[in-house]
Amino acid sequence: MAGYSAMLGLTGVGVGFHALAAVFGQAPGWYLPSLALLTLLSVGLAASAFLAVHRRFLPWLLLLAAAPPMVGALLIAVGH
């Protein structure tokens, strides 16, 4: 569980650095809010997974739910 969360976290850091570089360039107005929304959604789900660690399957479901928003943020960051 920790490795999967670390992978999500490092992906988020990479997206954040790419977004920071794009914002200092000429990024459209929708770029930063969309990345922020997707990343915060993913981080919230991952944090919830750690808070639900006493359950058997809930943390894994929350971590699986955290992956698609992070993939979306990654695709937006790479595609721009």
Side-chain angles (χ1 to χ4, degrees):
M1 190 170 128
Y4 187 83
S5 298
M7 181 188 65
L8 281 172
L10 290 175
T11 303
V13 169
V15 167
F17 281 139
H18 192 278
L20 183 65
V23 166
F24 284 125
Q26 294 296 327
W30 58 267
Y31 183 72
L32 189 60
S34 64
L35 281 180
L37 177 70
L38 289 171
T39 304
L40 285 175
L41 179 62
S42 181
V43 167
L45 289 167
S48 298
F50 272 98
L51 293 175
V53 74
H54 59 281
R55 303 285 180 131
R56 185 167 175 90
F57 295 111
L58 184 60
W60 291 105
L61 291 174
L62 289 169
L63 285 175
L64 286 173
M70 186 55 70
V71 169
L74 181 65
L75 291 175
I76 290 173
V78 171
H80 181 268

